[in-house]
Amino acid sequence: MESGLNGEHVLITGASGGIGQATAKLFDKEGCSLSLHYNKNQEQISQFSKELNGDYCLLQADLSSEEQTKELIQDSTNTFGRIDHLVVNHGIWPEQYIPAHEMTLDQWDQTLTINLRAAFICSRQFLLNLLAFPKETASIVYIGSTAGIFGEAGHVDYSVSKSGLQGLMLSLKNEIIRIASRGRVNIVAPGWTITPMAEKSLEDHEAVRKALQTMPLRKIARPIDIARTVVFLSSDKLAGHISGQIITVAGGMEGRKLFEPDEIDINSIL
Ligand SMILES: NC(=O)c1ccc[n+]([C@@H]2O[C@H](COP(=O)([O-])OP(=O)(O)OC[C@H]3O[C@@H](n4cnc5c(N)ncnc54)[C@H](OP(=O)(O)O)[C@@H]3O)[C@@H](O)[C@H]2O)c1
């Protein structure tokens, strides 16, 4: 199926990471011009970008800063013109299991700042860009998480940052059409995906087994699984009537397994 994305300009945040790279490669195959954002990992993104065939530029920014985000959008526009599609993919997942009653406010603030506040900043800078370059179509895709849908014990900061994206999406889908009349906003919500972010957790096979018990497909996603869904949702031709939706890419996950069978005392319940 033709995506119709050929010649369009896509800005991907966190393109130096696992899902970002896979997404960049797929948009590259569709013939898009790419603004690829990274924060600290210049080495990684420089290496990976050599595999791309089309036009791209590499742009550094700490997205918790609105000034740096503004510059990012400006540099991106100076290079390839109007940004047609924004993929808000960057994010952090503090690895350690920390229950809410022990979590420092510094951790809470940092996760919310990078994952949610920066998503808001990127989005409004993108909308300002659309205002400056009128055209009917445009799209935003946020990378959410199953943690934002089912919650995640020990990671309430991350879970809230990802469920917060839903409010952003639902509000902006109704705002973007005042600027670009066929503009659309959606979320792709991955479950565990093999990238540097999840690498360490995936070494814990018991935890993986536990997660797979609520997933009929019993697999861990590859970045390409997420990337395909992002490209689909960005395409006006393929997904032109889809806005305000969360597409979960997690093998049919139904939730979190909370207890082992021996943790439930059946006699005291019945
Ligand atoms: N992997 C999973 O299992 C999984 C599951 C559900 C959702 N997700 C979501 O998928 C998205 C991509 O994750 P991934 O697995 O590809 O992770 P990753 O490989 O760790 O990549 C994370 C990206 O975020 C960027 N980043 C981190 N802090 C930043 C900051 N302050 N400002 C700007 N950029 C920053 C990193 O940039 P540098 O490396 O250049 O510093 C990197 O490009 C994230 O939003 C994540 O929450 C992942």
Side-chain angles (χ1 to χ4, degrees), residues 1 148 160 183 200 205 220 233 261:
M1 246 190 300
V160 168
K200 230 171 164 190
H205 289 188
I220 300 296
L233 285 174

Side-chain angles (χ1 to χ4, degrees), residues 252-267:
M253 185 188 284
E254 297 211 16
R256 306 292 193 214
K257 186 171 174 269
L258 298 177
F259 298 106
E260 297 303 330
D262 63 5
E263 290 178 281
I264 295 170
D265 178 4
I266 205 78
N267 294 322

Side-chain angles (χ1 to χ4, degrees), residues 169-184:
M169 168 189 74
L170 291 173
S171 306
L172 297 193
K173 81 173 167 57
N174 297 339
E175 288 191 16
I176 194 170
I177 43 91
R178 305 278 175 199
I179 302 171
S181 60
R182 280 166 48 205
R184 299 172 300 103

Side-chain angles (χ1 to χ4, degrees), residues 29-48:
K29 277 193 186 152
E30 294 303 309
C32 298
S33 302
L34 300 177
S35 291
L36 302 177
H37 156 266
Y38 65 98
N39 184 31
K40 295 194 174 138
N41 221 334
Q42 184 173 22
E43 170 80 29
Q44 180 76 21
I45 200 163
S46 304
Q47 274 305 322
F48 140 78

Side-chain angles (χ1 to χ4, degrees), residues 16-270:
S16 46
I19 291 174
Q21 287 184 21
T23 305
K25 269 189 207 162
L26 219 54
F27 276 117
D28 179 57
K29 277 193 186 152
E30 294 303 309
C32 298
S33 302
L34 300 177
S35 291
L36 302 177
H37 156 266
Y38 65 98
N39 184 31
K40 295 194 174 138
N41 221 334
Q42 184 173 22
E43 170 80 29
Q44 180 76 21
I45 200 163
S46 304
Q47 274 305 322
F48 140 78
S49 59
K50 290 179 189 155
E51 295 170 29
L52 301 173
N53 295 312
D55 295 333
Y56 67 87
C57 62
L58 306 181
L59 301 167
Q60 193 281 331
D62 177 347
L63 300 175
S64 52
S65 152
E66 185 156 36
E67 264 323 296
Q68 292 191 29
T69 311
K70 250 187 209 171
E71 277 172 33
L72 171 80
I73 298 273
Q74 195 55 58
D75 292 346
S76 170
T77 311
N78 290 344
T79 312
F80 294 125
R82 179 197 200 252
I83 303 166
D84 300 301
H85 307 281
L86 171 67
V87 181
V88 181
N89 160 72
H90 73 276
I92 56 165
W93 181 69
E95 243 168 64
Q96 214 185 332
Y97 181 106
I98 302 181
H101 64 276
E102 287 175 12
M103 189 174 287
T104 63
L105 285 179
D106 280 349
Q107 175 172 331
W108 170 270
D109 287 344
Q110 203 203 7
T111 308
L112 271 287
T113 297
I114 296 172
N115 291 2
L116 186 57
R117 183 178 181 265
F120 169 67
I121 292 174
C122 285
S123 306
R124 67 172 179 178
Q125 290 301 327
F126 174 68
L127 293 173
L128 283 167
N129 187 263
L130 297 184
L131 268 173
F133 297 93
K135 194 176 154 187
E136 274 191 337
T137 56
S139 76
I140 303 176
V141 175
Y142 299 107
I143 306 301
S145 167
T146 48
I149 299 169
F150 302 117
E152 189 166 13
H155 301 274
V156 66
D157 52 337
Y158 181 75
S159 164
V160 168
S161 74
K162 292 300 185 179
S163 52
L165 291 176
Q166 187 176 353
L168 200 52
M169 168 189 74
L170 291 173
S171 306
L172 297 193
K173 81 173 167 57
N174 297 339
E175 288 191 16
I176 194 170
I177 43 91
R178 305 278 175 199
I179 302 171
S181 60
R182 280 166 48 205
R184 299 172 300 103
V185 187
N186 292 289
I187 292 178
V188 177
W192 267 2
T193 308
I194 300 179
T195 71
M197 182 181 276
E199 227 164 37
K200 230 171 164 190
S201 312
L202 292 169
E203 285 169 11
D204 179 352
H205 289 188
E206 270 321 299
V208 173
R209 195 166 278 128
K210 205 168 163 185
L212 294 181
Q213 279 181 291
T214 75
M215 294 164 61
L217 292 178
R218 285 173 295 169
K219 337 186 257 201
I220 300 296
R222 302 306 194 254
I224 186 71
D225 295 314
I226 318 306
R228 286 193 184 112
T229 317
V230 173
V231 170
F232 164 72
L233 285 174
S234 302
S235 159
D236 188 61
K237 207 162 174 189
L238 300 179
H241 205 38
I242 301 178
S243 194
Q245 301 304 307
I246 301 177
I247 299 194
T248 304
V249 184
M253 185 188 284
E254 297 211 16
R256 306 292 193 214
K257 186 171 174 269
L258 298 177
F259 298 106
E260 297 303 330
D262 63 5
E263 290 178 281
I264 295 170
D265 178 4
I266 205 78
N267 294 322
S268 71
I269 295 162
L270 297 175

